[in-house]
Amino acid sequence: LIEDVLGTSSGGEEFLQEYHTTQTLTDATRRKLVNIIVAHMIDKHGQLPSKAVREEYALGIVTVFPSLKDPYSKKGYEHFYDAASSTGYISWRLKTIQRKIRRGHASTRGPNVRRSIVVDQQLDGDAYQEAISLLNHTTDSSVIFLKMRETFQNRQKLIYDSDKTQDIFSIFPRFLDTKGLINQHFTLLFEEEVSNLLLQKWDPFFRDNVIKEAKRLTPTPERRRMLQAAESPGSELDEAPTYDQEMSALLLLLYLLPPPPGGPRFPKISASDAVERLVVFHK
C-alpha cells in the first residue's frame, strides 16, 4: 500500500532512496512522508477515515520502513497511529487539515458574508430618498411591498454596516406593522427555493425537536407558559397565552441558541430580553 502511494506521488521515490541509503528517515523527511500518506488517505477515504484505515496506513509505514518501528510499543506503529487514544502523526496531521478546512469554511459563510444578490429595478439617490418618505406615509400595502422591494439593495448595505444596523427599523418601520415584508426580504435574499425550506421542515421536524430540547432546560414560569402554549392549541389552555403555538415554539428556540459573544458595543443579553427585542406587538 505505502509503496504504491509513494510510487504514484511526486517525490515519493526520494523517500525510498533516502531510506535505502541511510536505513532511516530524518524528522523532516518523516513529516513529508506523513503529509503524503494522509493526503492519499483523505483522497481515498474522505476527511474522516476509520480507525481501521488509519491503522492500515500506520502498519504500512513501518512495514516499508522497518527502522521507524517503535520497539517499545505493543504493535510498533502506535507513534504513527494509536487507535486507543486517537493520537500519533497521522491523527495530528488529519486534525491539522480538518482545522484548516473549518477555518476556510468559516471565512466564506455566516451573517457577515456579503452574498452576491442581484435584484432588478433598485432605487438610488433621490429616488431612494423619495421611496423612504413614501413608505413612512402610505397605507397602500401594494405600494409598501413594491417600495420595500425597490430599496432592498440599499437596505442590505445598512445591514452590513455595523454603525447603521440598529437603525433598520427606524428607517424602515413598515417591517413592524406590515405582515409579509420580512418574508419578502428573506425571499429576495435567498430566493424562493431556499427561503421555503425552514417552513417546510418546521412542523414535521424542527418544531417538535425544539419543544423536546426546551423541556430539558431549567424550568421557569415563563418557559413553562411557552412550553404549554407550544404544545397545546389556545382553546385548550386555562388562560389566554401571550403567544400562539408557532410563536411560542420559535421563542423557545431562543433559549436553546448559544449567546453571542459580548463586547463594548453589543453587551450580552439574556434569552428573556432577546424575546422582548425579537417580538414587538402593536395594538
Side-chain angles (χ1 to χ4, degrees):
L1 171 65
I2 300 302
E3 287 183 325
D4 291 339
V5 173
L6 296 178
T8 57
S9 301
S10 176
E13 292 296 330
E14 296 177 6
F15 297 105
L16 298 173
Q17 291 175 3
E18 178 178 330
Y19 185 80
H20 288 315
T21 302
T22 65
Q23 291 301 300
T24 188
L25 296 177
T26 64
D27 288 343
T29 303
R30 187 259 306 153
R31 284 193 292 270
K32 292 178 182 178
L33 171 66
V34 170
N35 290 351
I36 289 177
I37 297 301
V38 170
H40 181 273
M41 186 187 304
I42 291 175
D43 184 54
K44 295 295 183 182
H45 303 281
Q47 295 176 17
L48 294 173
S50 66
K51 289 185 177 182
V53 169
R54 301 182 197 194
E55 282 195 295
E56 180 184 5
Y57 278 78
L59 174 60
I61 291 173
V62 298
T63 300
V64 175
F65 305 101
S67 69
L68 300 184
K69 191 172 183 178
D70 181 3
Y72 302 104
S73 64
K74 183 178 180 180
K75 298 179 180 178
Y77 56 75
E78 285 87 342
H79 53 308
F80 282 99
Y81 178 68
D82 182 6
S85 61
S86 290
T87 58
Y89 299 132
I90 290 176
S91 279
W92 297 329
R93 179 59 183 170
L94 281 169
K95 289 177 182 178
T96 297
I97 292 174
Q98 291 161 5
R99 186 164 55 248
K100 289 180 178 178
I101 291 173
R102 284 196 299 270
R103 287 175 181 170
H105 286 175
S107 65
T108 57
R109 63 186 181 185
N112 294 325
V113 174
R114 292 179 179 266
R115 295 173 173 84
S116 178
I117 307 164
V118 178
V119 178
D120 59 354
Q121 297 180 338
Q122 293 295 288
L123 302 178
D124 207 352
D126 291 341
Y128 169 69
Q129 295 300 331
E130 290 174 4
I132 295 296
S133 177
L134 179 59
L135 280 168
N136 289 331
H137 297 93
T138 185
T139 58
D140 187 330
S141 62
S142 62
V143 173
I144 292 173
F145 275 89
L146 175 62
K147 294 304 175 184
M148 288 292 282
R149 187 185 191 284
E150 292 177 340
T151 56
F152 172 80
Q153 296 282 20
N154 281 284
R155 193 159 52 252
Q156 283 299 103
K157 294 177 183 178
L158 294 177
I159 291 173
Y160 288 120
D161 187 335
S162 59
D163 293 327
K164 298 179 180 179
T165 299
Q166 58 190 359
D167 299 328
I168 292 292
F169 288 134
S170 61
I171 298 174
F172 298 97
R174 307 322 294 262
F175 272 128
L176 301 173
D177 61 11
T178 306
K179 185 177 181 180
L181 282 182
I182 292 179
N183 185 56
Q184 174 181 267
H185 186 95
F186 197 81
T187 301
L188 291 172
L189 186 60
F190 295 104
E191 298 185 350
E192 194 77 35
E193 182 178 354
V194 175
S195 63
N196 286 333
L197 288 179
L198 176 61
L199 295 177
Q200 290 171 1
K201 294 184 178 181
W202 178 251
D203 270 340
F205 180 76
F206 290 123
R207 183 175 171 275
D208 290 343
N209 280 284
V210 166
I211 294 173
K212 178 182 176 181
E213 293 299 323
K215 288 181 177 179
R216 300 181 182 180
L217 298 172
T218 302
T220 65
E222 183 180 11
R223 290 177 198 168
R224 280 196 291 267
R225 285 194 296 270
M226 285 189 183
L227 274 170
Q228 188 179 17
E231 291 185 295
S232 307
S235 58
E236 297 181 8
L237 300 177
D238 297 333
E239 57 182 81
T242 305
Y243 310 110
D244 62 17
Q245 269 188 297
E246 299 305 324
M247 182 58 70
S248 296
L250 282 169
L251 294 179
L252 284 171
L253 181 59
L254 275 180
Y255 289 93
L256 300 175
L257 297 175
R265 286 177 52 80
F266 303 102
K268 287 186 178 181
I269 63 173
S270 66
S272 57
D273 288 337
V275 168
E276 297 300 323
R277 297 190 185 194
L278 179 67
V279 182
V280 179
F281 286 98
H282 291 265
K283 296 183 179 179

